[in-house]
C-alpha cells in the first residue's frame, strides 16, 4: 500500500496541474480515452473510472451506461464536477475523492473498471488491480490505458523526446506490460487485447478479462 507521504505528494502535484491539465493533455490523450471508453461500454452498464481526473472522458459515456468517477485529487475532481454541472454528462452517477487501493464500494459492484493514464502512478499497482477485481462483478473487465516502457525502436526514441512532459505527470518508462501480464496470470485474468493508439502508438490500451470461472471449470 502507498504511504500517506506518496499519496500526499501525488495530491499536491495534481493540485498544481488541475488548472492547466485539460489545455495541455486533452488532445494528446484523446485516442486512448476514446478506445478505452469504447471497450468499457461493451463490458456492461455499470462502470467505475479510477483516477478520472478532470473528467475528460465523462462526456464519451452514453446515457445507456452508469459511470462513477473517483480520484485522489480533489482539485482535479472539482474540474470534473464542474463539467458535470455545466455539461450534459448523462451517464455520471457519482464523483468521489478516493484512493485506487482503497475503494469505498461493495464487492462486485461494477461491470468494468477503467483506469486511464493512472496505473503507473500508483506505487502499489498490483494492490490497486486487486482492489479493481474486488469491486468487479464476476466476468467483468478491467481497461487500462497508459504509456508503457518499450525496449527499442521509434517509440523508445519518442519516449526520450516526450520524457520531460511525461515526467511532469509522473509517467515512467520503467513500467512495462510484463508487469501487468504477471499480475493477470496470478489473479486469473487474461490479457485479452493490447492495442497501441495515437500519438504514434505511444499509449497502449489493455483489456483484461476475468477468466477465474473458466479456469475453475477447467481444473
Ligand atoms: C495523468 S492523470 C489522468 C486523469 C484522467 N484519467 C485522464 O485521462 O485525463 C492521473 C490521475 O490519477 C490520479 N491518481 C493518481 N494516483 C491515484 C490513486 N492512488 N488513486 C486515485 N487516483 C489517483 C491523479 O490525481 C490524476 O488525476
Amino acid at each position: 500500500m502507498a504511504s500517506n507521504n506518496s499519496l500526499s505528494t501525488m495530491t499536491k502535484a495534481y493540485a498544481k496541474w488541475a488548472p492547466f491539465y485539460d489545455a495541455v493533455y486533452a488532445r494528446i490523450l484523446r485516442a486512448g480515452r476514446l478506445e478505452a471508453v469504447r471497450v468499457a461500454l461493451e463490458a456492461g452498464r455499470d462502470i467505475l473510472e479510477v483516477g478520472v481526473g478532470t473528467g475528460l472522458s465523462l462526456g464519451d459515456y452514453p446515457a445507456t451506461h452508469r459511470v462513477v468517477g473517483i480520484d485522489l485529487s480533489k482539485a482535479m475532481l472539482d474540474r470534473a464536477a464542474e463539467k458535470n454541472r455545466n455539461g450534459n454528462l448523462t451517464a455520471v452517477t457519482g464523483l468521489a475523492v478516493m484512493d485506487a487501493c482503497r475503494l469505498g464500494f461493495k464487492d462486485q459492484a461494477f461491470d468494468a473498471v477503467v483506469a486511464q493514464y493512472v496505473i503507473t502512478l500508483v506505487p502499489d499497482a498490483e494492490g490497486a488491480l486487486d482492489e479493481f477485481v474486488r469491486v468487479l462483478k464476476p466476468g467483468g473487465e478491467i481497461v487500462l490505458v497508459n504509456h508503457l516502457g518499450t525496449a527499442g525502436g521509434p517509440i523508445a526514441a519518442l519516449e526520450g523526446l516526450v520524457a520531460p512532459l511525461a515526467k511532469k505527470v509522473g509517467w515512467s518508462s520503467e513500467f512495462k506490460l510484463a508487469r501487468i501480464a504477471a499480475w493477470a496470470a496470478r489473479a486469473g485474468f487474461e490479457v485479452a487485447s493490447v492495442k497501441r493508439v495515437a500519438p504514434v502508438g505511444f499509449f497502449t490500451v489493455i483489456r483484461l478479462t476475468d477468466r477465474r470461472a473458466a479456469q475453475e471449470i477447467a481444473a
Side-chain angles (χ1 to χ4, degrees):
M1 189 175 295
S3 68
N4 286 340
N5 197 19
S6 64
L7 293 184
S8 122
T9 305
M10 183 70 63
T11 310
K12 279 187 194 139
Y14 276 95
K16 285 192 191 140
W17 264 112
F20 316 105
Y21 184 87
D22 287 7
V24 178
Y25 290 100
R27 282 189 63 187
I28 306 174
L29 307 183
R30 184 169 184 273
R33 184 161 69 239
L34 293 178
E35 178 62 12
V37 170
R38 188 191 69 74
V39 173
L41 292 178
E42 289 176 0
R45 188 188 60 169
D46 294 306
I47 297 170
L48 172 65
E49 259 230 32
V50 173
V52 69
T54 62
L56 282 171
S57 63
L58 293 175
D60 300 326
Y61 292 98
T64 46
H65 288 63
R66 298 196 307 209
V67 183
V68 177
I70 69 106
D71 201 286
L72 200 57
S73 163
K74 182 172 181 313
M76 293 286 276
L77 210 54
D78 282 347
R79 307 264 154 178
E82 201 178 314
K83 289 187 182 74
N84 199 21
R85 278 193 301 275
N86 299 340
N88 191 25
L89 308 182
T90 46
V92 178
T93 57
L95 295 168
V97 174
M98 224 177 265
D99 175 11
C101 295
R102 294 159 60 98
L103 297 173
F105 303 105
K106 64 179 171 71
D107 296 355
Q108 304 186 1
F110 299 98
D111 295 298
V113 177
V114 182
Q116 305 195 34
Y117 312 102
V118 177
I119 200 69
T120 59
L121 302 177
V122 181
D124 182 10
E126 287 79 3
L129 289 166
D130 288 342
E131 187 65 345
F132 297 177
V133 173
R134 182 185 68 74
V135 301
L136 265 186
K137 294 177 192 172
E141 300 203 353
I142 298 172
V143 186
L144 307 175
V145 192
N146 241 105
H147 169 61
L148 299 171
T150 43
I155 294 170
L158 184 68
E159 272 167 17
L161 281 176
V162 301
L165 194 61
K167 208 174 163 195
K168 281 198 166 69
V169 280
W171 293 324
S172 156
S173 296
E174 302 300 306
F175 200 113
K176 307 260 193 303
L177 178 62
R179 183 166 165 187
I180 295 169
W183 169 85
R186 281 197 305 275
F189 274 62
E190 179 188 7
V191 181
S193 66
V194 175
K195 184 172 176 180
R196 287 198 173 272
V197 292
V200 294
F202 186 70
F203 295 111
T204 307
V205 181
I206 303 151
R207 182 171 151 242
L208 299 160
T209 53
D210 183 0
R211 300 290 297 155
R212 288 170 297 173
Q215 287 172 2
E216 265 171 36
I217 291 165

